[in-house]
Amino acid sequence: MSREENEEIDPEFITRLVNCLGFDQEKVRHLFEKNYLARNWGKYEYLLRFDKEISHIERGTVLYEKDGSFEIIMGFPKIRRAMVLDPTIKKHFSGLEKVAVEEKMNGYNVRIAIAKEEILAITRSGYVCPYTTQKAKEKLNLKFFDDFPELVLYGEMIGPDNPYVSKDIYGIESVEFYIFDIREKNSGKPLPISRKQEILEKYGFFQARFFKKISLETAPEEIGKIIRELGEKEHEGVVIKDPEMVLSPLKYTSSQSNCSDLRHAFKFYNETGRDYMLSRIVREGFQTVEWNENETEFEKRCMQLGESILNPLRESIRSVKNGQRLYEEAKIRVKDLKTAADFDDYLKRLGIDAVFEEPQSVGEEYLIIIRKLNKSTSDKTQAIWQGEPW
Amino acid sequence: MSREENEEIDPEFITRLVNCLGFDQEKVRHLFEKNYLARNWGKYEYLLRFDKEISHIERGTVLYEKDGSFEIIMGFPKIRRAMVLDPTIKKHFSGLEKVAVEEKMNGYNVRIAIAKEEILAITRSGYVCPYTTQKAKEKLNLKFFDDFPELVLYGEMIGPDNPYVSKDIYGIESVEFYIFDIREKNSGKPLPISRKQEILEKYGFFQARFFKKISLETAPEEIGKIIRELGEKEHEGVVIKDPEMVLSPLKYTSSQSNCSDLRHAFKFYNETGRDYMLSRIVREGFQTVEWNENETEFEKRCMQLGESILNPLRESIRSVKNGQRLYEEAKIRVKDLKTAADFDDYLKRLGIDAVFEEPQSVGEEYLIIIRKLNKSTSDKTQAIWQGEPW
């Protein structure tokens, strides 16, 4: 979003924001100047988003004026990762008798809420994705938002027609929304798990799989078993929660999920963050030691790691050698081509270099293949094949 | 080196530097303020070092006043890396008929020169290492410096008693100096290879192994063969040079050397730069594609990569689990314990956390084990075992 649009913000609006956020005037102006606080565009211009974590406010938090005050939809709280299950779970949840274990699904994080009479699907960064919003309207029981306008669904868009994270492993035909938290507006306070489950069931929402409550003492071992089973199905991992949702959750992932991340990371080796790569590699190290693996298991893990890195690397390097450009293929399925056009505009605004192919009719809908271009890795690899040194 | 010491520099000295470097007064002052230009300490205080690449001057370049003007010893020029042999060599050396191929040895880069009647071993960063200096005095035919005070030896200290890069692969008992370039003071101009060889032979210096001159056309293939042979002996790789040393050299390394770097990198995973890790992994990808490896060879490469990463990672994670702190063991061999004490001081000045064990008598010398502590990886790993999330 350009600076110009922010400069129009009127002083009275700033004053109202000062009252809402509890920051002083100078700080609020500074946030706008730096674009740490920025407006969405088009019909969602009324929606401000935090592009950076500021004090206690998570990045991606959005807010809007309503009836003379502001309503805030808090961002996704960062979930810390247990690098080893024991003693991390016991230490983190110390004092609890039991922890609740839910599946961590591999999809695209999205908050769904009603704001100014509109259903919005808000991304982790605080944008309103037009495709996800349209899908949410089609897939979710919207009566929930009439009954609980003050609640926000925190979930994942899952399935193959997800243009961000496309996965076939969940047996979903197109996309569905799996909800993992319900939180209050403004405070961001989550409902206790039992209350959340009750509401999600009542409105027929899909929810992230709930395994069980486990006593703190046996949690590391039992979660280890769950993780191995999830891994065999290429599922991602678990989120471990305080049933009352007072203590913050922890996450832990399967080796297969780490390797799957690495396959993606090394396919586009010049685009991916170095820390992203390293952290996934280091997780493999801790897991093999914590699980006390024997040499056969360890060798298998080495091979999987090596292949997860070198296979995609080789594939990309070969493709470019053969004159191709690298891209990531995604797809969307829409009832109305207007949604696709809006999504195309949206990606352009975000600076994503994507090519939309011709829509194909599928039943009453259109399937559209999207190629997200990986310019940085393509260019780097091409330069090397043309004889440039590193 | 502290700021305070720099503040004493007198204005006349600055003026003389201005004349020597061709920078204006303000720039020279700025370089001192930022410590981009800094003095060595103790008896080498007269020696200024560039701690950063400035204009055409490489980082590690040193200079000192002599007879009213300055003498400059240029830093090690960065040698660019061929990621693929073909077409990089042909492109880089385009116009030459032949290139010269020398072994790139795995040691510690050092320049040896005479300055103000003193023999100095100057590190890549422009420090005078007291241990390396002492070894150079013992090992090298110093008559060279009487005959050619205007020339500088660019080489590597190689062998097991090298406290920086200790290698047993070269069949050296303690340490030796292998020279790869001779360059003039001030200009940094290298001697042509034939002249360099003539001088090195005359004074009985060891030199990096010279393979042969190869026609540009067949160089990628022939160098590929050399690299495979070197790799089998765990040797590092080659430097490819213009025989006249007019065009800059290129380097290329074996897979075994990449993996050896990775083994070290992942042992101290929280100390090592992310880019260092990534670049070595990406090299493996280009090599397997350029060499058109079959699936058996590829699988072997995957396994080697996976093991080079996970083995050291596992070892470090296990050690810390068992209550140990991580360190890197090095050793030095000295005739006079004063050299060890000076080296200890030197490492402390550089901020390296090293513990020197009791000297052991070996013949007429002392062998001293040094433990370089890896605090960052130790602390991080320990925190994880104590239940800290990532």
Side-chain angles (χ1 to χ4, degrees), chain A residues 101-150:
Chain A
V101 181
E102 292 180 1
E103 182 169 348
K104 180 179 190 326
M105 298 179 83
N106 204 341
Y108 189 67
N109 271 189
V110 66
R111 285 161 288 171
I112 305 134
I114 189 159
K116 298 199 168 212
E117 326 287 293
E118 264 187 303
I119 303 292
L120 303 179
I122 303 160
T123 70
R124 179 174 273 281
S125 305
Y127 296 106
V128 181
C129 169
Y131 177 70
T132 313
T133 297
Q134 180 55 34
K135 287 288 151 186
K137 285 180 188 164
E138 292 168 16
K139 296 284 180 178
L140 295 176
N141 176 358
L142 302 182
K143 188 163 184 307
F144 166 82
F145 299 100
D146 293 333
D147 297 346
F148 297 107
E150 77 286 5

Short mmCIF file of all heavy atoms in Angstrom, two decimals, chain A residues 101-150:
data_model
loop_
_atom_site.label_atom_id
_atom_site.label_comp_id
_atom_site.label_asym_id
_atom_site.label_seq_id
_atom_site.Cartn_x
_atom_site.Cartn_y
_atom_site.Cartn_z
N VAL A 101 -4.65 -32.44 22.93
CA VAL A 101 -3.84 -32.57 21.72
C VAL A 101 -4.73 -32.49 20.49
O VAL A 101 -5.68 -33.26 20.35
CB VAL A 101 -3.06 -33.89 21.72
CG1 VAL A 101 -2.18 -34.00 20.47
CG2 VAL A 101 -2.19 -33.99 22.97
N GLU A 102 -4.43 -31.54 19.63
CA GLU A 102 -5.19 -31.39 18.39
C GLU A 102 -4.23 -31.52 17.22
O GLU A 102 -3.04 -31.23 17.33
CB GLU A 102 -5.85 -30.00 18.32
CG GLU A 102 -6.96 -29.82 19.33
CD GLU A 102 -7.60 -28.42 19.24
OE1 GLU A 102 -7.19 -27.62 18.38
OE2 GLU A 102 -8.50 -28.15 20.05
N GLU A 103 -4.76 -31.91 16.08
CA GLU A 103 -3.90 -31.99 14.91
C GLU A 103 -3.58 -30.59 14.38
O GLU A 103 -4.43 -29.71 14.34
CB GLU A 103 -4.56 -32.81 13.79
CG GLU A 103 -3.66 -32.93 12.58
CD GLU A 103 -4.11 -33.93 11.53
OE1 GLU A 103 -5.02 -34.73 11.81
OE2 GLU A 103 -3.54 -33.91 10.43
N LYS A 104 -2.34 -30.41 14.01
CA LYS A 104 -1.91 -29.20 13.29
C LYS A 104 -2.01 -29.52 11.83
O LYS A 104 -1.26 -30.36 11.32
CB LYS A 104 -0.47 -28.87 13.68
CG LYS A 104 0.08 -27.63 13.00
CD LYS A 104 1.50 -27.36 13.44
CE LYS A 104 2.01 -26.00 12.98
NZ LYS A 104 1.54 -25.52 11.69
N MET A 105 -2.94 -28.88 11.14
CA MET A 105 -3.15 -29.22 9.73
C MET A 105 -2.32 -28.31 8.84
O MET A 105 -1.93 -27.21 9.22
CB MET A 105 -4.63 -29.11 9.39
CG MET A 105 -5.47 -30.10 10.21
SD MET A 105 -7.23 -29.97 9.85
CE MET A 105 -7.35 -30.99 8.36
N ASN A 106 -2.06 -28.80 7.65
CA ASN A 106 -1.22 -28.07 6.73
C ASN A 106 -2.09 -27.33 5.71
O ASN A 106 -2.51 -27.90 4.72
CB ASN A 106 -0.29 -29.06 6.02
CG ASN A 106 0.96 -28.38 5.53
OD1 ASN A 106 1.00 -27.16 5.38
ND2 ASN A 106 1.98 -29.17 5.27
N GLY A 107 -2.38 -26.09 6.03
CA GLY A 107 -3.21 -25.30 5.13
C GLY A 107 -2.83 -23.85 5.21
O GLY A 107 -1.68 -23.54 5.53
N TYR A 108 -3.76 -22.99 4.92
CA TYR A 108 -3.47 -21.57 4.90
C TYR A 108 -4.22 -20.92 6.05
O TYR A 108 -5.45 -20.98 6.11
CB TYR A 108 -3.92 -20.98 3.56
CG TYR A 108 -3.46 -19.56 3.35
CD1 TYR A 108 -2.12 -19.26 3.21
CD2 TYR A 108 -4.38 -18.51 3.30
CE1 TYR A 108 -1.70 -17.96 3.03
CE2 TYR A 108 -3.96 -17.21 3.11
CZ TYR A 108 -2.62 -16.94 2.97
OH TYR A 108 -2.19 -15.65 2.79
N ASN A 109 -3.50 -20.28 6.96
CA ASN A 109 -4.11 -19.66 8.13
C ASN A 109 -5.04 -18.52 7.75
O ASN A 109 -4.65 -17.62 7.00
CB ASN A 109 -3.02 -19.07 9.03
CG ASN A 109 -2.48 -20.05 10.04
OD1 ASN A 109 -1.73 -19.68 10.91
ND2 ASN A 109 -2.87 -21.30 9.93
N VAL A 110 -6.23 -18.55 8.32
CA VAL A 110 -7.16 -17.49 8.00
C VAL A 110 -8.10 -17.26 9.18
O VAL A 110 -8.46 -18.21 9.90
CB VAL A 110 -7.90 -17.83 6.67
CG1 VAL A 110 -8.78 -19.05 6.84
CG2 VAL A 110 -8.68 -16.66 6.15
N ARG A 111 -8.45 -16.00 9.40
CA ARG A 111 -9.44 -15.65 10.41
C ARG A 111 -10.72 -15.28 9.68
O ARG A 111 -10.66 -14.53 8.69
CB ARG A 111 -8.99 -14.43 11.21
CG ARG A 111 -7.90 -14.72 12.22
CD ARG A 111 -7.18 -13.43 12.62
NE ARG A 111 -6.35 -12.96 11.54
CZ ARG A 111 -5.74 -11.77 11.51
NH1 ARG A 111 -5.92 -10.91 12.50
NH2 ARG A 111 -4.97 -11.43 10.49
N ILE A 112 -11.84 -15.78 10.13
CA ILE A 112 -13.09 -15.42 9.48
C ILE A 112 -13.96 -14.72 10.51
O ILE A 112 -14.16 -15.21 11.62
CB ILE A 112 -13.79 -16.65 8.88
CG1 ILE A 112 -12.81 -17.35 7.93
CG2 ILE A 112 -15.03 -16.24 8.11
CD1 ILE A 112 -12.77 -18.83 8.11
N ALA A 113 -14.44 -13.55 10.11
CA ALA A 113 -15.22 -12.74 11.04
C ALA A 113 -16.22 -11.89 10.27
O ALA A 113 -16.10 -11.75 9.05
CB ALA A 113 -14.28 -11.83 11.84
N ILE A 114 -17.17 -11.33 10.98
CA ILE A 114 -18.07 -10.37 10.35
C ILE A 114 -17.64 -8.99 10.83
O ILE A 114 -17.38 -8.76 12.01
CB ILE A 114 -19.55 -10.69 10.67
CG1 ILE A 114 -20.47 -9.81 9.82
CG2 ILE A 114 -19.87 -10.55 12.17
CD1 ILE A 114 -21.87 -10.38 9.66
N ALA A 115 -17.49 -8.08 9.87
CA ALA A 115 -17.11 -6.72 10.20
C ALA A 115 -17.96 -5.80 9.34
O ALA A 115 -17.99 -5.97 8.11
CB ALA A 115 -15.63 -6.49 9.90
N LYS A 116 -18.66 -4.89 9.95
CA LYS A 116 -19.53 -3.98 9.19
C LYS A 116 -20.44 -4.75 8.25
O LYS A 116 -20.48 -4.48 7.04
CB LYS A 116 -18.67 -3.00 8.37
CG LYS A 116 -17.80 -2.11 9.23
CD LYS A 116 -17.36 -0.90 8.43
CE LYS A 116 -16.74 0.14 9.34
NZ LYS A 116 -16.96 1.48 8.88
N GLU A 117 -21.08 -5.76 8.76
CA GLU A 117 -22.06 -6.57 8.02
C GLU A 117 -21.44 -7.43 6.92
O GLU A 117 -22.15 -8.04 6.12
CB GLU A 117 -23.17 -5.69 7.35
CG GLU A 117 -23.58 -4.47 8.11
CD GLU A 117 -24.43 -4.83 9.32
OE1 GLU A 117 -25.55 -5.32 9.10
OE2 GLU A 117 -23.95 -4.63 10.47
N GLU A 118 -20.12 -7.45 6.85
CA GLU A 118 -19.49 -8.23 5.78
C GLU A 118 -18.71 -9.40 6.35
O GLU A 118 -17.98 -9.23 7.33
CB GLU A 118 -18.48 -7.36 5.02
CG GLU A 118 -19.04 -6.74 3.76
CD GLU A 118 -17.92 -6.04 3.01
OE1 GLU A 118 -17.25 -5.16 3.60
OE2 GLU A 118 -17.69 -6.38 1.84
N ILE A 119 -18.80 -10.55 5.71
CA ILE A 119 -17.96 -11.67 6.10
C ILE A 119 -16.59 -11.45 5.45
O ILE A 119 -16.49 -11.20 4.25
CB ILE A 119 -18.54 -13.01 5.58
CG1 ILE A 119 -19.95 -13.24 6.07
CG2 ILE A 119 -17.62 -14.18 5.94
CD1 ILE A 119 -20.08 -13.48 7.55
N LEU A 120 -15.55 -11.56 6.27
CA LEU A 120 -14.19 -11.36 5.75
C LEU A 120 -13.32 -12.57 6.09
O LEU A 120 -13.40 -13.10 7.19
CB LEU A 120 -13.52 -10.14 6.41
CG LEU A 120 -14.20 -8.79 6.31
CD1 LEU A 120 -13.37 -7.75 7.06
CD2 LEU A 120 -14.37 -8.37 4.84
N ALA A 121 -12.49 -12.97 5.13
CA ALA A 121 -11.46 -13.95 5.42
C ALA A 121 -10.14 -13.18 5.44
O ALA A 121 -9.69 -12.66 4.41
CB ALA A 121 -11.43 -15.05 4.37
N ILE A 122 -9.55 -13.10 6.63
CA ILE A 122 -8.38 -12.24 6.83
C ILE A 122 -7.14 -13.13 6.97
O ILE A 122 -7.11 -14.06 7.77
CB ILE A 122 -8.57 -11.40 8.12
CG1 ILE A 122 -9.87 -10.58 8.00
CG2 ILE A 122 -7.38 -10.48 8.35
CD1 ILE A 122 -10.41 -10.11 9.33
N THR A 123 -6.13 -12.81 6.18
CA THR A 123 -4.93 -13.65 6.18
C THR A 123 -4.07 -13.36 7.41
O THR A 123 -4.33 -12.42 8.16
CB THR A 123 -4.08 -13.38 4.92
OG1 THR A 123 -3.50 -12.07 5.04
CG2 THR A 123 -4.91 -13.45 3.65
N ARG A 124 -3.03 -14.17 7.57
CA ARG A 124 -2.12 -13.99 8.70
C ARG A 124 -1.54 -12.58 8.75
O ARG A 124 -1.33 -12.03 9.82
CB ARG A 124 -0.98 -15.02 8.58
CG ARG A 124 0.06 -14.95 9.66
CD ARG A 124 1.05 -16.09 9.55
NE ARG A 124 0.58 -17.26 10.27
CZ ARG A 124 0.67 -17.43 11.59
NH1 ARG A 124 1.22 -16.49 12.35
NH2 ARG A 124 0.22 -18.51 12.17
N SER A 125 -1.35 -11.97 7.57
CA SER A 125 -0.77 -10.63 7.52
C SER A 125 -1.81 -9.52 7.65
O SER A 125 -1.45 -8.34 7.66
CB SER A 125 -0.02 -10.43 6.20
OG SER A 125 0.94 -11.43 6.02
N GLY A 126 -3.08 -9.88 7.68
CA GLY A 126 -4.11 -8.86 7.85
C GLY A 126 -4.71 -8.35 6.55
O GLY A 126 -5.35 -7.30 6.52
N TYR A 127 -4.50 -9.08 5.46
CA TYR A 127 -5.16 -8.73 4.21
C TYR A 127 -6.48 -9.48 4.11
O TYR A 127 -6.67 -10.53 4.75
CB TYR A 127 -4.28 -9.12 3.02
CG TYR A 127 -2.99 -8.37 2.94
CD1 TYR A 127 -1.78 -8.98 3.27
CD2 TYR A 127 -2.97 -7.04 2.53
CE1 TYR A 127 -0.58 -8.28 3.21
CE2 TYR A 127 -1.77 -6.33 2.45
CZ TYR A 127 -0.59 -6.96 2.80
OH TYR A 127 0.59 -6.27 2.74
N VAL A 128 -7.39 -8.95 3.27
CA VAL A 128 -8.63 -9.67 3.00
C VAL A 128 -8.46 -10.36 1.66
O VAL A 128 -8.37 -9.69 0.62
CB VAL A 128 -9.83 -8.71 2.97
CG1 VAL A 128 -11.12 -9.51 2.70
CG2 VAL A 128 -9.94 -7.95 4.27
N CYS A 129 -8.37 -11.67 1.68
CA CYS A 129 -8.18 -12.40 0.43
C CYS A 129 -9.54 -12.62 -0.22
O CYS A 129 -10.43 -13.23 0.39
CB CYS A 129 -7.51 -13.74 0.70
SG CYS A 129 -7.54 -14.82 -0.76
N PRO A 130 -9.73 -12.12 -1.44
CA PRO A 130 -11.05 -12.23 -2.05
C PRO A 130 -11.46 -13.68 -2.37
O PRO A 130 -12.64 -14.02 -2.25
CB PRO A 130 -10.93 -11.41 -3.35
CG PRO A 130 -9.48 -11.23 -3.58
CD PRO A 130 -8.78 -11.37 -2.27
N TYR A 131 -10.47 -14.50 -2.72
CA TYR A 131 -10.80 -15.90 -3.01
C TYR A 131 -11.21 -16.63 -1.73
O TYR A 131 -12.25 -17.29 -1.67
CB TYR A 131 -9.60 -16.59 -3.67
CG TYR A 131 -9.80 -18.07 -3.94
CD1 TYR A 131 -10.69 -18.50 -4.92
CD2 TYR A 131 -9.11 -19.04 -3.21
CE1 TYR A 131 -10.88 -19.86 -5.18
CE2 TYR A 131 -9.29 -20.39 -3.46
CZ TYR A 131 -10.17 -20.80 -4.45
OH TYR A 131 -10.36 -22.14 -4.69
N THR A 132 -10.40 -16.48 -0.69
CA THR A 132 -10.69 -17.16 0.57
C THR A 132 -12.01 -16.66 1.15
O THR A 132 -12.80 -17.44 1.70
CB THR A 132 -9.52 -16.92 1.56
OG1 THR A 132 -8.29 -17.15 0.88
CG2 THR A 132 -9.60 -17.86 2.74
N THR A 133 -12.26 -15.37 1.01
CA THR A 133 -13.51 -14.80 1.51
C THR A 133 -14.70 -15.43 0.80
O THR A 133 -15.69 -15.83 1.42
CB THR A 133 -13.51 -13.27 1.31
OG1 THR A 133 -12.45 -12.72 2.11
CG2 THR A 133 -14.83 -12.65 1.72
N GLN A 134 -14.60 -15.55 -0.52
CA GLN A 134 -15.69 -16.13 -1.29
C GLN A 134 -15.91 -17.60 -0.88
O GLN A 134 -17.05 -18.04 -0.70
CB GLN A 134 -15.37 -16.01 -2.79
CG GLN A 134 -16.43 -16.59 -3.72
CD GLN A 134 -17.82 -16.01 -3.45
OE1 GLN A 134 -17.95 -14.85 -3.09
NE2 GLN A 134 -18.85 -16.85 -3.59
N LYS A 135 -14.81 -18.32 -0.72
CA LYS A 135 -14.92 -19.73 -0.32
C LYS A 135 -15.55 -19.84 1.07
O LYS A 135 -16.37 -20.72 1.33
CB LYS A 135 -13.53 -20.39 -0.30
CG LYS A 135 -12.97 -20.65 -1.68
CD LYS A 135 -13.73 -21.79 -2.36
CE LYS A 135 -13.71 -21.62 -3.86
NZ LYS A 135 -14.55 -22.61 -4.55
N ALA A 136 -15.14 -18.94 1.97
CA ALA A 136 -15.70 -18.97 3.33
C ALA A 136 -17.21 -18.75 3.28
O ALA A 136 -17.97 -19.44 3.96
CB ALA A 136 -15.03 -17.91 4.19
N LYS A 137 -17.64 -17.83 2.44
CA LYS A 137 -19.08 -17.56 2.32
C LYS A 137 -19.82 -18.78 1.79
O LYS A 137 -20.94 -19.06 2.20
CB LYS A 137 -19.32 -16.37 1.39
CG LYS A 137 -18.97 -15.03 2.01
CD LYS A 137 -19.25 -13.92 1.00
CE LYS A 137 -18.75 -12.58 1.51
NZ LYS A 137 -18.68 -11.59 0.41
N GLU A 138 -19.18 -19.50 0.89
CA GLU A 138 -19.83 -20.68 0.31
C GLU A 138 -19.83 -21.87 1.27
O GLU A 138 -20.76 -22.67 1.29
CB GLU A 138 -19.11 -21.11 -0.98
CG GLU A 138 -19.26 -20.11 -2.13
CD GLU A 138 -18.32 -20.42 -3.29
OE1 GLU A 138 -17.78 -21.55 -3.36
OE2 GLU A 138 -18.09 -19.52 -4.12
N LYS A 139 -18.75 -22.00 2.02
CA LYS A 139 -18.54 -23.24 2.75
C LYS A 139 -19.05 -23.19 4.19
O LYS A 139 -19.31 -24.24 4.79
CB LYS A 139 -17.03 -23.56 2.80
CG LYS A 139 -16.42 -23.84 1.43
CD LYS A 139 -16.81 -25.22 0.94
CE LYS A 139 -16.23 -25.52 -0.42
NZ LYS A 139 -16.59 -26.89 -0.84
N LEU A 140 -19.08 -22.01 4.78
CA LEU A 140 -19.38 -21.94 6.21
C LEU A 140 -20.86 -21.63 6.48
O LEU A 140 -21.51 -20.95 5.67
CB LEU A 140 -18.51 -20.87 6.87
CG LEU A 140 -17.00 -21.13 6.88
CD1 LEU A 140 -16.27 -19.93 7.48
CD2 LEU A 140 -16.66 -22.40 7.66
N ASN A 141 -21.35 -22.10 7.58
CA ASN A 141 -22.70 -21.78 8.04
C ASN A 141 -22.67 -20.37 8.61
O ASN A 141 -22.23 -20.15 9.75
CB ASN A 141 -23.09 -22.81 9.10
CG ASN A 141 -24.44 -22.49 9.71
OD1 ASN A 141 -25.07 -21.49 9.38
ND2 ASN A 141 -24.88 -23.38 10.61
N LEU A 142 -23.17 -19.42 7.84
CA LEU A 142 -23.00 -18.01 8.21
C LEU A 142 -23.90 -17.57 9.36
O LEU A 142 -23.74 -16.47 9.89
CB LEU A 142 -23.22 -17.12 6.98
CG LEU A 142 -22.28 -17.42 5.79
CD1 LEU A 142 -22.53 -16.47 4.63
CD2 LEU A 142 -20.81 -17.32 6.21
N LYS A 143 -24.81 -18.44 9.73
CA LYS A 143 -25.69 -18.09 10.86
C LYS A 143 -24.86 -17.85 12.12
O LYS A 143 -25.23 -17.03 12.98
CB LYS A 143 -26.69 -19.23 11.09
CG LYS A 143 -27.76 -18.85 12.12
CD LYS A 143 -28.97 -19.75 12.07
CE LYS A 143 -30.02 -19.22 13.08
NZ LYS A 143 -29.49 -19.04 14.45
N PHE A 144 -23.72 -18.54 12.19
CA PHE A 144 -22.81 -18.34 13.33
C PHE A 144 -22.53 -16.85 13.57
O PHE A 144 -22.51 -16.38 14.70
CB PHE A 144 -21.51 -19.10 13.09
CG PHE A 144 -20.38 -18.73 14.00
CD1 PHE A 144 -20.30 -19.28 15.28
CD2 PHE A 144 -19.40 -17.83 13.61
CE1 PHE A 144 -19.24 -18.93 16.13
CE2 PHE A 144 -18.35 -17.48 14.45
CZ PHE A 144 -18.28 -18.04 15.72
N PHE A 145 -22.28 -16.13 12.48
CA PHE A 145 -21.87 -14.73 12.62
C PHE A 145 -23.04 -13.83 13.03
O PHE A 145 -22.84 -12.79 13.63
CB PHE A 145 -21.21 -14.24 11.33
CG PHE A 145 -19.97 -15.01 10.98
CD1 PHE A 145 -20.01 -16.01 10.01
CD2 PHE A 145 -18.78 -14.77 11.64
CE1 PHE A 145 -18.88 -16.73 9.70
CE2 PHE A 145 -17.65 -15.50 11.34
CZ PHE A 145 -17.68 -16.48 10.37
N ASP A 146 -24.28 -14.25 12.70
CA ASP A 146 -25.45 -13.51 13.20
C ASP A 146 -25.57 -13.74 14.71
O ASP A 146 -25.83 -12.81 15.46
CB ASP A 146 -26.74 -14.04 12.53
CG ASP A 146 -26.76 -13.71 11.05
OD1 ASP A 146 -26.12 -12.71 10.67
OD2 ASP A 146 -27.39 -14.46 10.28
N ASP A 147 -25.37 -14.99 15.11
CA ASP A 147 -25.54 -15.33 16.52
C ASP A 147 -24.40 -14.82 17.39
O ASP A 147 -24.59 -14.46 18.54
CB ASP A 147 -25.64 -16.86 16.69
CG ASP A 147 -26.86 -17.43 15.96
OD1 ASP A 147 -27.74 -16.63 15.56
OD2 ASP A 147 -26.91 -18.66 15.77
N PHE A 148 -23.19 -14.83 16.82
CA PHE A 148 -22.00 -14.44 17.61
C PHE A 148 -21.15 -13.41 16.85
O PHE A 148 -20.01 -13.71 16.46
CB PHE A 148 -21.13 -15.66 17.92
CG PHE A 148 -21.77 -16.71 18.77
CD1 PHE A 148 -22.19 -17.90 18.22
CD2 PHE A 148 -21.96 -16.49 20.13
CE1 PHE A 148 -22.77 -18.87 19.02
CE2 PHE A 148 -22.54 -17.47 20.93
CZ PHE A 148 -22.96 -18.66 20.38
N PRO A 149 -21.69 -12.23 16.64
CA PRO A 149 -20.91 -11.25 15.84
C PRO A 149 -19.60 -10.87 16.53
O PRO A 149 -18.70 -10.37 15.88
CB PRO A 149 -21.85 -10.05 15.74
CG PRO A 149 -22.82 -10.20 16.87
CD PRO A 149 -22.99 -11.68 17.09
N GLU A 150 -19.50 -11.14 17.82
CA GLU A 150 -18.30 -10.73 18.57
C GLU A 150 -17.23 -11.82 18.57
O GLU A 150 -16.16 -11.63 19.14
CB GLU A 150 -18.69 -10.35 20.01
CG GLU A 150 -18.96 -11.52 20.95
CD GLU A 150 -20.29 -12.26 20.72
OE1 GLU A 150 -20.99 -11.93 19.73
OE2 GLU A 150 -20.61 -13.18 21.49
#
